[in-house]
Amino acid sequence: MRTALIAGQGGLPLALSEAMPERPLVAAMEGFAPEGLSVDLSFRVERLVPFLRALTRDGITQVVFAGAVTRPRLDPALLDEGTAAMLPRLMQAMAAGDDATLRAVLEIFEEAGFAVAGVEDIAPDLMPKAGVLAGTVTPQDTADAARAAAIVAALGAVDVGQGAVVAQGACLAVEALPGTDAMLASVAALPPGLRPDPARGRGVFYKAAKPGQDRRIDLPTLGPDSIRHVAAAGLGGVAFQAGEVICLDLARMKALAGELGLFLWARG
């Protein structure tokens, strides 16, 4: 079985490639090259059918998706006949939200004859099991994480986001299209009068997959920068759903959490 890594931006494609027994063929959408990996095959959405044919020509039987992309602007002049026939299906999925779009993409690859693997199939060690990984979780942190988990579940049900910040039961921010970093920056910018007294609990950043999400694509990802942003936002720590969230360089994440006085908790 020969695998293609459909890579986006960020550090996940490299981490996943290094965890595989053989180097995969690395494919990337134009404008979204991965960090630290040379790209073997680039493609555009407008030429999706020729790209699928190229994968077949190169002997690919399995694909795995990793890394961040944003919705590209389509150039109708570049469409081939096969992709043009597929476009209404993709546009309808895009109008229904990110989750529907990703499901449609997976279906297209499967219909083209490719098996689709997930990160947990390729590198399960990137997804920590339940436990407190750094620091100390207080009863207030436990309550805030439970509240944040309920909020993230509600957001995910309408395909909005995978993260929330809660302090002493008050929701300070939720993740939307701008992403996690923008959400944490907005928390850091909140005036003191809009935040609960930190002496009673500094708050929790919580991350989890959406309810019913296909676990083969777009799982939440955390890394050392996440820990730094949480500290800059004045929060007490990070909680995430065990077995659902990818942690890049977990050893460094633990060390940073210790240095910055934060907890890191894979919540079961």
Side-chain angles (χ1 to χ4, degrees):
M1 177 177 290
R2 191 176 185 212
T3 300
L5 175 58
I6 314 299
Q9 295 175 322
L12 179 57
L14 177 60
L16 203 54
S17 176
E18 291 176 340
M20 299 171 76
E22 296 181 3
R23 186 188 184 279
L25 180 147
V26 178
M29 192 187 306
E30 287 184 14
F32 298 94
E35 296 173 11
L37 273 178
S38 58
V39 175
D40 303 304
L41 189 62
S42 61
F43 67 96
R44 294 184 62 95
V45 173
E46 300 96 329
R47 304 284 297 171
L48 185 56
V49 169
F51 170 59
L52 295 172
R53 290 174 181 157
L55 292 179
T56 300
R57 178 200 65 209
D58 288 340
I60 298 300
T61 55
Q62 175 179 262
V63 297
V64 57
F65 293 82
V69 296
T70 56
R71 297 185 187 187
R73 293 191 176 186
L74 302 181
D75 183 349
L78 298 178
L79 285 166
D80 63 278
E81 185 176 348
T83 308
M86 192 181 290
L87 197 58
R89 174 183 181 182
L90 284 171
M91 297 301 289
Q92 183 178 10
M94 287 180 185
D98 290 343
D99 221 31
T101 302
L102 296 173
R103 282 197 300 270
V105 169
L106 293 182
E107 289 169 0
I108 287 168
F109 274 80
E110 288 176 323
E111 290 166 7
F114 302 105
V116 181
V119 171
E120 61 188 331
D121 302 313
I122 303 295
D125 288 347
L126 292 178
M127 302 171 66
K129 296 180 173 63
V132 177
L133 307 176
T136 301
V137 178
T138 69
Q140 182 63 65
D141 297 328
T142 300
D144 284 344
R147 168 83 168 135
I151 291 168
V152 169
L155 290 173
V158 289
D159 198 10
V160 172
Q162 299 171 314
V165 174
V166 171
Q168 297 171 48
C171 182
L172 304 186
V174 296
E175 183 183 80
L177 184 61
T180 299
D181 291 352
M183 177 187 67
L184 291 172
S186 74
V187 174
L190 284 174
L194 290 180
R195 301 180 69 143
D197 180 359
R200 298 180 181 177
R202 291 183 291 166
V204 175
F205 163 51
Y206 180 80
K207 194 88 165 169
K210 298 171 185 174
Q213 178 176 340
D214 193 313
R215 294 167 64 93
R216 295 174 296 173
I217 193 168
D218 194 38
L219 282 177
T221 301
L222 299 171
D225 282 346
S226 307
I227 303 298
R228 296 185 185 96
H229 294 321
V230 166
L235 301 173
V238 180
F240 60 90
Q241 185 61 39
E244 288 188 0
V245 174
I246 298 163
C247 288
L248 298 177
D249 197 350
L250 183 58
R252 183 59 183 149
M253 290 176 66
K254 292 179 181 179
L256 269 175
E259 293 168 13
L260 297 170
L262 306 177
F263 66 82
L264 181 61
W265 177 24
R267 182 175 179 266

